[in-house]
Amino acid sequence: MLSSPLQPVPERTESPSIADLDSRRKRESGVSSTSPMRLRMEAFIKEQQELIVRELEKVDGGKFRKDTWTRPAGGDGVSCVLQDGKVFEKAGVNTSVVYGTLPRAAIAKMRVNHKALDPDIDSLEFFAAGLSLVLHPQNPMAPTVHLNYRYFETMDKNGDGKAWWFGGGTDLTPSYLFEEDAIHFHRTIKDACDKHDRDYYPRFKAWCDKYFFIPHRGESRGVGGIFFDDLDEEAKDQEELFSFVQHCLEAFLPSYIPIIEKRKDMAFGPCEKEWQQVRRGRYVEFNLVHDRGTSFGLATPGARVESILMSLPLTARWVYMHEPEKGSKEDRILGVLKNPAAWI
């Protein structure tokens, strides 16, 4: 029997996305210890972002500009940036939450480190959340610092988690070497690592030295810290790894604030400022040529480029055939960058 043209045609309704379901869950139930790990990680990094920004504003005396953004496909972020401050020439503290779909080629690539991923599916839902921080001080005697902690998860169409892993780390990049600063930074990180596994610090310190090496310069970006990636159920259970990442991120303020407070008002001249600018040039080279996070971010459809490039300094300098004088303070830091040291 033919339908009457006057009969209403049922509307097609699309199933809510995983991002929509998660938003509803947060509105109705909040986030607790029984929530999916992706929601707990999101809540934690946003809480830490607010704390870190407050403490850095106390150091600088200025205020961060805060920009919030959303992704049509799901997710959001907050970019907090301070420029031309009293202490920081440029400082950025960003959080990002991304929902998306991995194509088959990306799944195949990730299976190298995560065998739990099904190689026979054409696409897979994913979630990624992280906090990234880069601080470039005005004073050449004060070191730049970088931090990133992140969580990645794949899900089925219902939002049930499948494969997952944590990554991250933090590293210090001085223009002038103060050994006590490097020792304090590394010791604070080691204390956080040792709460979970005494093998973590030496293992992740070596990984950091290797990762932040600039091959075309034959030198490291800075004096290191820790770096790790792809920590999943083969390393430890999810709760233990989440606790590890929490302790590492919470160790940032005690690892860096005493250093910046000690160095921010030291005397310097034009020569020291020029050397700082040369070293920042190296920082830019690494981030744009070798950093996987920058490459991944710029290659992600709908990515917020301004937030990704937040890590770059406001100013930098490239001097043709620049060589520091032998035996100088500049030559001393260069020697350490070419031969990573064991600080503790």
Side-chain angles (χ1 to χ4, degrees):
M1 184 174 73
L2 295 177
S3 299
S4 165
L6 298 179
Q7 288 182 326
V9 178
E11 293 184 5
R12 293 183 179 179
T13 58
E14 295 184 0
S15 300
S17 67
I18 296 173
D20 293 334
L21 293 173
D22 280 352
S23 294
R24 183 188 304 166
R25 181 183 284 117
K26 287 184 288 186
R27 286 195 307 271
E28 295 177 352
S29 307
V31 178
S32 69
S33 61
T34 61
S35 299
M37 180 57 70
R38 59 182 180 270
L39 301 188
R40 295 167 64 191
M41 182 66 173
E42 175 186 353
F44 175 66
I45 61 174
K46 289 181 176 179
E47 170 190 286
Q48 287 296 303
Q49 180 186 37
E50 292 182 359
L51 173 62
I52 291 170
V53 166
R54 283 199 305 271
E55 293 304 310
L56 294 179
E57 287 180 341
K58 292 178 185 177
V59 172
D60 188 273
K63 291 291 185 181
F64 279 76
R65 168 179 171 172
K66 182 181 290 187
D67 294 329
T68 58
W69 50 270
T70 58
R71 294 182 77 249
D76 56 42
V78 180
S79 297
C80 298
V81 178
L82 187 155
Q83 292 187 156
D84 290 319
K86 295 177 182 177
V87 174
F88 299 109
E89 182 180 276
K90 187 179 180 185
V93 187
N94 293 351
T95 54
S96 63
V97 176
V98 176
Y99 291 81
T101 304
L102 291 172
R104 190 180 187 116
I107 297 170
K109 188 175 181 180
M110 288 182 175
R111 283 202 80 246
V112 173
N113 296 312
H114 304 282
K115 301 302 182 185
L117 291 173
D118 187 346
D120 298 321
I121 56 177
D122 291 324
S123 64
L124 191 61
E125 301 299 310
F126 80 88
F127 168 92
L131 185 151
S132 297
L133 170 156
V134 179
L135 310 178
H136 295 290
Q138 298 274 13
N139 195 312
M141 302 301 168
T144 287
V145 68
H146 158 261
L147 171 151
N148 174 270
Y149 290 103
R150 56 194 176 273
Y151 174 73
F152 192 96
E153 178 180 296
T154 63
M155 305 158 289
D156 61 23
K157 297 294 184 181
N158 298 318
D160 294 326
K162 296 298 182 182
W164 55 267
W165 57 91
F166 291 93
T170 182
D171 62 289
L172 196 69
T173 305
S175 297
Y176 288 93
L177 181 63
F178 295 93
E179 290 188 0
E180 62 267 36
D181 293 352
I183 291 169
H184 169 79
F185 186 78
H186 279 263
R187 181 174 290 139
T188 307
I189 300 167
K190 182 178 184 298
D191 289 345
C193 291
D194 286 353
K195 292 177 182 178
H196 299 270
D197 192 321
R198 298 189 70 84
D199 182 55
Y200 275 176
Y201 172 75
R203 177 180 159 199
F204 298 155
K205 193 268 185 188
W207 199 343
C208 182
D209 289 339
K210 181 179 180 180
Y211 180 81
F212 289 106
F213 186 76
I214 310 172
H216 62 273
R217 295 290 188 180
E219 62 192 48
S220 297
R221 190 174 77 172
V223 296
I226 60 169
F227 176 87
F228 58 89
D229 205 4
D230 299 314
L231 292 190
D232 58 16
E233 68 275 3
E234 293 186 8
K236 295 278 177 67
D237 68 55
Q238 193 177 55
E239 289 296 331
E240 168 61 23
L241 290 174
F242 182 43
S243 177
F244 167 59
V245 167
Q246 287 177 302
H247 282 133
C248 286
L249 183 45
E250 290 167 347
F252 167 71
L253 290 172
S255 75
Y256 186 72
I257 295 297
I259 296 174
I260 191 66
E261 290 283 12
K262 190 186 300 184
R263 306 300 171 197
K264 65 184 177 66
D265 296 318
M266 289 184 69
F268 66 91
C271 291
E272 287 83 7
K273 193 65 180 178
E274 179 178 313
W275 176 246
Q276 179 198 53
Q277 299 299 294
V278 171
R279 295 312 310 166
R280 285 185 177 170
R282 300 291 200 270
Y283 201 95
V284 172
E285 290 173 25
F286 176 85
N287 279 32
L288 294 184
V289 178
H290 299 293
D291 186 59
R292 294 205 307 260
T294 302
S295 299
F296 176 81
L298 294 175
T300 301
R304 192 171 191 269
V305 175
E306 289 294 327
S307 296
I308 297 167
L309 298 183
M310 168 275 297
S311 64
L312 301 182
L314 198 59
T315 59
R317 186 181 177 97
W318 283 264
V319 180
Y320 182 69
M321 297 298 288
H322 188 280
E323 289 288 340
E325 182 181 344
K326 294 298 181 183
S328 65
K329 295 180 294 183
E330 294 79 8
D331 186 54
R332 182 172 176 237
I333 182 71
L334 202 56
V336 171
L337 298 179
K338 290 181 180 293
N339 300 282
W343 296 107
I344 53 175

